[in-house]
Amino acid sequence: MGRKVTIEPVTRIEGHARVTIYLDDEGDVEHAYFNVDQFRGFERFSQGRMFFEMPAITPRICGICPVSHHLASAKACDQIAGVEPPRPANLLRELMHMGQMIQSHSMHFFHLASPDLVLGFDADPAIRNVVGIINAAPELALKAVKLRQYGQEIIRTLSGRRIHPKFAVPGGVNKALSEADRDTMLAPIDDMISYMQEGLAIAKGWLEANQELVLKFANFRSGYMGLVDPKTGALELYDGEVRLVDRDGDLLEQYDGRNYLDYIAEHVEDWSYLKFPYYKKLGWPDGVYRVAPLGRLNVADCISTPLANEEFKKFKAISDGPVEPSLYMHYARLIEDIYAAEHARELLEDPDIVSTEIVNESRTITGEGVGTIEAPRGTLFHHYKTDENGQLTDVNLIVATGHNNWAMSTAVDMVAKEFIDGKNMTEGQLNRVEAAIRAYDPCLSCSTHAIGQMPIVVEVRGPDGELVKRIQRD
Ligand code: MG
Ligand code: NI
């Protein structure tokens, strides 16, 4: 019998999860598991409510990506109400979504990912965090704060709230944008882009300087999934069609998110509470795929904004097929960050953005809607069914982190086997396992559908199940 190693909570990721590492008698890693405590309360709790309450309720699922839930929910509600929002409302919703992307992606890179890159996987954990970054690179830390504030400010300006927005309603939004507020949001964009470019240069430089490690670090094949513009194949975050490609990057499917159940099924493993979505036609496990920045850039043909597209071309040149190593997530995430800022500018410069035609009235109840959006962490589906009065009878959510469950489980196992030496275990080795999860930026409060944020733990267990090592940082 082998020993067992558990990592819980994994630090610097959002939510609650456990990594369990089993060691054999020789002290080598036998297998490592990534577990998330499942809590499905939310889907059940929503039943019986009126559908139009959902855009205000669902942001409570998560303090990290409330806007993604808010907007996916509103899109589902548009369909239930049988109404298309007017163009200005769609521009405003998309602008809010760009604010969420900028806030989330910037915070992830600078606060959660950069300590490993700038300070090192083996740095003292007491300083290997955002405080360490503030001490080592105070100007960079200040820029990170400004980026996060900028994204939050877009959300706050549009909805009047920084965290749980009440803005999108079935058929549109409930508040027009003033010209003064538009100008305030436009002014800092060039600075924001330059900060993101600085982050991207750090990520690229680090990946280049550490190629040997990067290629050994959770580098594996999978399919990929993300939204694209149906006409151009460009990266899409707010709307579009869902594209699935295989391990070679060849097209498998491109579909309307409303039909997600025709393409995606969820596999259950007895060691995990969180399900494993996969592409139905290839079956489990051949149909596994990855989402989020790496997934999206691996399915897209181009990016519609100039600076991000220049970076996208360099990214594509890394490999003939899909870019596979997990640590390239950081690179892809920062390209998307630049796109979000450039696209926010396009939206703000559109004359319709200050139009007061922001909502269309509905007079019907269709009884069903599926809202599909690219949350910062990947494709998010909100699927609602109602009775003829609009009272919810069925709610299904497939969240971004769920799609990457297989990828994170695989990454944890590979990194544990590659880097952990059970006879000479160091904190830095276990931190590499956590970094494999962090690359995917999971949002565990989302995936568990639990309300609020929870932490993660890492544990190592010996041949008789005895605890060898345990990490639980704040
Ligand atoms: Mg679900
Ligand atoms: Ni979330």
Side-chain angles (χ1 to χ4, degrees), residues 355-399:
S355 163
T356 53
E357 264 178 59
I358 52 173
V359 70
N360 283 328
E361 295 295 324
S362 152
R363 286 179 181 75
T364 55
I365 299 282
T366 67
E368 188 165 2
V370 180
T372 309
I373 199 167
E374 285 295 332
R377 295 158 185 84
T379 317
L380 171 64
F381 296 106
H382 274 223
H383 184 189
Y384 311 153
K385 289 181 188 168
T386 74
D387 65 14
E388 66 280 10
N389 301 315
Q391 219 172 347
L392 290 159
T393 54
D394 205 4
V395 172
N396 187 37
L397 312 178
I398 298 188
V399 298

Side-chain angles (χ1 to χ4, degrees), residues 74 78 83-90 93 169-173 238 358-360:
D78 294 339
V83 65
E84 275 282 316
R87 183 169 187 274
N90 279 330
R93 286 182 182 184
V169 294
V173 298
Y238 178 71
I358 52 173
V359 70
N360 283 328

Side-chain angles (χ1 to χ4, degrees), residues 53 213 298:
E53 294 181 88
L213 166 78
N298 276 332

Side-chain angles (χ1 to χ4, degrees), residues 8 16-18 35-39 273-274 444 447-448 450 454:
E8 183 199 19
H16 183 268
R18 175 190 304 266
N35 288 299
V36 181
D37 289 332
Q38 184 65 307
F39 182 70
Y273 290 107
L274 187 60
L444 298 167
S447 51
T448 56
M454 300 172 288

Side-chain angles (χ1 to χ4, degrees), residues 174-207:
N174 62 14
K175 186 167 162 271
L177 177 64
S178 73
E179 289 185 20
D181 280 344
R182 175 198 60 192
D183 296 345
T184 304
M185 284 190 269
L186 266 173
I189 287 186
D190 281 333
D191 286 343
M192 296 304 127
I193 291 173
S194 74
Y195 303 161
M196 291 165 180
Q197 288 171 323
E198 216 172 299
L200 181 59
I202 291 170
K204 283 162 79 170
W206 188 89
L207 289 163

Side-chain angles (χ1 to χ4, degrees), residues 150-182:
Y150 179 70
Q152 283 178 327
E153 200 53 23
I154 291 178
I155 298 165
R156 193 199 58 76
T157 302
L158 293 175
S159 73
R161 289 153 167 250
R162 202 179 290 257
I163 306 289
H164 296 297
K166 283 188 178 172
F167 177 59
V169 294
V173 298
N174 62 14
K175 186 167 162 271
L177 177 64
S178 73
E179 289 185 20
D181 280 344
R182 175 198 60 192

